[in-house]
Amino acid sequence: KTQTRSLPLKLYQPAHQRFYLVGASLVCRVLGQPDRNVAQDGPAQMGFVLRRLLPAKVGEATLREFAFVQDSLGARWRPVADSPADEGRLLPGEEVLPVFPLGYRDVLGHARTLWTGLVPVGRREEYLGSKVDRSLAPSLAEARLQSVGPKATTAPTTGITARMTQFKMEVAEPWKNLIRSAYSARLSLVEEPATGDGPTAADQASRQFALNLQWQMQSWLILLDFADYLSVHLPPVRDAVAGEGDVYPAASTDNRRKLFDWLRTVTMTSALAAALNDPVTHLPIRPGLQATASLREALKFVYQNEAQVRQGLEQASQLYGKDNAATGGWPGFHFLLAGIDTGMAVAGAFKALESLVVPTSDEFKEELLTDLQQPFEPALVQDEGPVEAEKLDKLTALVVRALDAGPETDTPAPPFALQLRDALAANGSADAWFVARHVHRPQACGPLGPATLSEPTQQFQLASFFDPDAPARPVQISLPLDTTPAGLRKHSKNTAFVISDVLCGQIQRAKGLGFVDLVRQVLPWPLHKDIDIGDGGPCQSGGLNIGMVCSLSIPIVTLCALILLIIIVSLLDFIFRWLPYFIICFPVPGLSGKPKESP
């Protein structure tokens, strides 16, 4: 019995060696009439639009046409009309794709023109990654009439979502990673017994001290970004933090006062401050170092010594360590956002988040604030580190409350991953269906001559790059035949890598490390072994910092890549069980690496 497989109409990508055209003729609906002439640079234009089929409301089964609109608010999908009968119109700002004429003669010998356009299947990820705006847009004629009327001005879009995202990306998320690292390292230290054959208490203290110095450098960078954020988006809070008084101005908003009061009351415990002392002498590694009593004081030091702090951190070529603590141009204060104190407990400013509350749904109206309205559920995670880290969402909520809704002109665009997450959540399905319509646009008629759209094509899907049903494109990667030392020496080293002085120093420190050293670094006692890489620094020669230009042989690099790939795939086969489907080899008689001797 013949087995058949039913597949939807799916258009594959140019990488699959497939190209698709959509065509239409501009004719009257009276049989036998000739084609309408369209001049290339005349008052009318031809094109076609790609429409996506989505439910008008999330959860509905009926699909409606959504237009791909590109305007000052960015690219997004918008519904065309309330009813299917009105979907044959062009929206303002809708992307019109180009077409080109193909001349031919019909069966009666009449000259005809087929307007043809290339379907942009390669833009599938862009289309699926664009957000969905389910608000109904005006028609093109209505938009043109509004543009010349008294209501032509449009208020700028306001919000706080982009500024909230910037705070999470620059301050909250790095701080969370710092907390997770501290809990993970603390667990490793506690599990190592300080008696018998295990590491001594002095060894544990030395490791703890080195980790705290590393986290102090990261804390400085986070504090610098926190100070920059307040300067740009919350200048009143910045002025109060940098000022001399301990009371926020009474004329300011209550939410900003709460943020200032929280910053003022967050302190670094004495046990955590003592953990930054030398474990051998138990003395501060930087005599005369200014101590900060609170998170507010740490930010205040950044503001009052901004040039020193910024220059010291951004121009440092070494890691913060015991040997260069007093000579490396580092900031003149200590304030650990997360670290391990002398009692082997994780401490830091995040411990003061217990007093904060999570925002309620009536405080924020924007859809992207659902992360804060639905706080992290500690019961779902057993590890203490992730639970404590997620409490930083309370700080994000405290900062967001202090923001005023307004044009977000000074805020970078949200990261693509966030945009993609929201787009996928709005789509509700991984299967995306599209239709195409041809467009005839009279340019000289204004709102009295709206664009004419054809009937929609058959519904189709755009295949992904790794679609399992896609035609396989044959790819041949040639490897060197003669892989003996005598054969490989013949290949030219004609690929150059330009390496800076800082990267050169990092490579030199990594050269002495082996795979076993890296594995033992993350294993608990008794298998754990510290890696001594020093405090870093650039490559030097004769007192001068030097970079390098290294020349490599690409054939040898290709061989290494193939061998590493096979090793990694074999190891991960324990998890994925993919080896039977990964590689199939066929014998080739006579394919010799060494040339045969001529008679």
Side-chain angles (χ1 to χ4, degrees):
K1 182 179 179 180
T2 303
Q3 187 178 19
T4 59
R5 185 181 183 188
S6 177
L7 296 176
L9 177 59
K10 187 181 295 185
L11 309 187
Y12 298 105
Q13 300 205 11
H16 305 140
Q17 298 181 332
R18 296 294 185 272
F19 302 88
Y20 300 90
L21 300 175
V22 56
S25 295
L26 184 62
V27 296
C28 295
R29 293 186 180 273
V30 179
L31 186 63
Q33 292 294 321
D35 290 0
R36 294 284 300 272
N37 291 327
V38 179
Q40 294 286 357
D41 299 322
Q45 295 181 0
M46 294 291 297
F48 78 98
V49 293
L50 202 63
R51 298 279 177 83
R52 187 171 177 183
L53 302 180
L54 290 167
K57 296 181 180 180
V58 178
E60 289 187 355
T62 304
L63 300 181
R64 300 288 178 80
E65 290 188 16
F66 278 61
F68 190 62
V69 176
Q70 293 179 309
D71 53 23
S72 59
L73 300 179
R76 63 199 188 280
W77 294 99
R78 299 195 68 177
V80 179
D82 284 328
S83 63
D86 299 328
E87 291 179 340
R89 64 169 185 167
L90 189 68
L91 290 190
E94 182 173 3
E95 181 187 50
V96 179
L97 300 170
V99 295
F100 55 91
L102 289 177
Y104 73 99
R105 292 187 177 275
D106 60 15
V107 294
L108 299 178
H110 299 151
R112 299 286 187 180
T113 301
L114 186 68
W115 294 93
T116 308
L118 180 67
V119 180
V121 185
R123 296 176 58 186
R124 175 187 183 272
E125 306 307 326
E126 176 188 356
Y127 289 143
L128 267 64
S130 298
K131 63 181 180 181
V132 178
D133 180 4
R134 286 186 162 81
S135 61
L136 194 62
S139 65
L140 190 61
E142 293 170 343
R144 287 176 174 175
L145 289 174
Q146 293 174 3
S147 65
V148 297
K151 298 181 180 180
T153 57
T154 303
T157 301
T158 61
I160 57 178
T161 301
R163 284 172 287 168
M164 181 200 72
T165 304
Q166 181 183 1
F167 181 81
K168 293 181 67 175
M169 297 298 294
E170 295 181 356
V171 180
E173 294 302 322
W175 195 346
K176 286 182 181 181
N177 290 333
L178 201 63
I179 297 171
R180 298 186 187 104
S181 298
Y183 273 98
S184 177
R186 181 253 178 196
L187 185 63
S188 176
L189 287 173
V190 170
E191 288 182 348
E192 296 180 356
T195 59
D197 296 334
T200 64
D203 293 335
Q204 288 181 327
S206 177
R207 286 188 56 201
Q208 172 197 3
F209 176 65
L211 289 171
N212 282 329
L213 292 184
Q214 173 187 337
W215 295 329
Q216 176 58 79
M217 184 174 181
Q218 296 170 350
S219 296
W220 280 331
L221 292 169
I222 296 174
L223 287 170
L224 180 61
D225 290 336
F226 198 174
D228 290 342
Y229 183 89
L230 294 179
S231 297
V232 175
H233 301 299
L234 288 170
V237 178
R238 186 263 183 211
D239 294 339
V241 168
E244 297 300 330
D246 290 335
V247 180
Y248 198 76
S252 301
T253 62
D254 185 58
N255 289 327
R256 292 176 180 176
R257 185 184 301 111
K258 290 180 180 179
L259 175 59
F260 173 78
D261 291 340
W262 186 83
L263 295 175
R264 185 172 55 86
T265 57
V266 177
T267 61
M268 184 172 64
T269 63
S270 58
L272 185 57
L276 289 170
N277 295 339
D278 191 325
V280 178
T281 63
H282 303 288
L283 297 175
I285 59 173
R286 297 171 63 182
L289 185 72
Q290 178 178 346
T292 54
S294 66
L295 180 55
R296 181 263 176 118
E297 292 296 326
L299 293 171
K300 181 179 179 179
F301 187 95
V302 173
Y303 289 131
Q304 294 180 345
N305 305 273
E306 183 174 359
Q308 172 198 348
V309 174
R310 192 179 303 276
Q311 181 177 2
L313 292 174
E314 295 185 352
Q315 295 188 2
S317 59
Q318 294 180 309
L319 301 177
Y320 184 56
K322 174 183 176 181
D323 296 333
N324 63 14
T327 59
W330 306 104
F333 71 98
H334 277 160
F335 194 87
L336 267 176
L337 294 178
I340 303 176
D341 62 20
T342 53
M344 285 296 174
V346 178
F350 66 95
K351 290 293 184 179
L353 294 169
E354 296 291 346
S355 60
L356 300 180
V357 296
V358 178
T360 58
S361 58
D362 59 342
E363 291 185 87
F364 304 114
K365 305 301 181 183
E366 299 196 25
E367 294 182 358
L368 290 183
L369 293 177
T370 54
D371 288 345
L372 301 181
Q373 297 167 9
Q374 300 173 0
F376 184 79
E377 179 55 55
L380 300 179
V381 178
Q382 302 298 325
D383 295 337
E384 187 178 7
V387 173
E388 293 293 327
E390 293 302 325
K391 291 180 180 179
L392 272 174
D393 286 343
K394 294 182 178 182
L395 175 59
T396 304
L398 186 65
V399 173
V400 169
R401 286 191 184 100
L403 296 173
D404 291 329
E408 302 189 287
T409 55
D410 297 330
T411 308
F416 176 71
L418 178 65
Q419 302 177 39
L420 181 59
R421 183 204 68 175
D422 297 329
L424 294 177
N427 294 341
S429 174
D431 297 330
W433 291 94
F434 297 86
V435 294
R437 289 177 181 261
H438 268 71
V439 180
H440 174 244
R441 294 187 293 176
Q443 300 295 311
C445 300
L448 300 179
T452 303
L453 274 69
S454 68
E455 296 297 322
T457 62
Q458 180 182 349
Q459 299 179 13
F460 57 88
Q461 293 180 314
L462 303 180
S464 66
F465 187 86
F466 293 108
D467 193 293
D469 298 318
R473 183 181 64 170
V475 178
Q476 178 180 347
I477 300 177
S478 298
L479 295 175
L481 294 179
D482 188 357
T483 56
T484 62
L488 291 176
R489 70 180 177 84
K490 300 178 182 178
H491 295 282
S492 300
K493 303 176 184 64
N494 57 351
T495 301
F497 283 82
V498 181
I499 301 174
S500 68
D501 55 348
V502 175
L503 180 58
C504 172
Q506 295 169 337
I507 293 176
Q508 293 297 331
R509 296 199 306 274
K511 276 186 176 180
L513 302 178
F515 180 74
V516 176
D517 298 320
L518 298 176
V519 172
R520 293 189 64 181
Q521 166 70 15
V522 298
L523 292 177
W525 183 88
L527 300 177
H528 177 84
K529 179 184 178 182
D530 284 330
I531 296 178
D532 184 14
I533 59 173
D535 295 330
C539 289
Q540 292 186 341
S541 177
L544 296 176
N545 291 0
I546 60 170
M548 291 186 179
V549 178
C550 299
S551 185
L552 276 71
S553 173
I554 285 296
I556 298 179
V557 173
T558 308
L559 286 174
C560 294
L562 176 63
I563 295 172
L564 286 176
L565 175 64
I566 294 175
I567 294 174
I568 294 174
V569 168
S570 300
L571 291 174
L572 294 180
D573 184 60
F574 290 102
I575 301 174
F576 296 101
R577 306 298 180 186
W578 55 19
L579 201 56
Y581 317 103
F582 172 68
I583 185 172
I584 299 175
C585 298
F586 302 94
V588 181
L591 186 61
S592 175
K594 292 290 186 180
K596 296 181 179 180
E597 297 181 2
S598 56

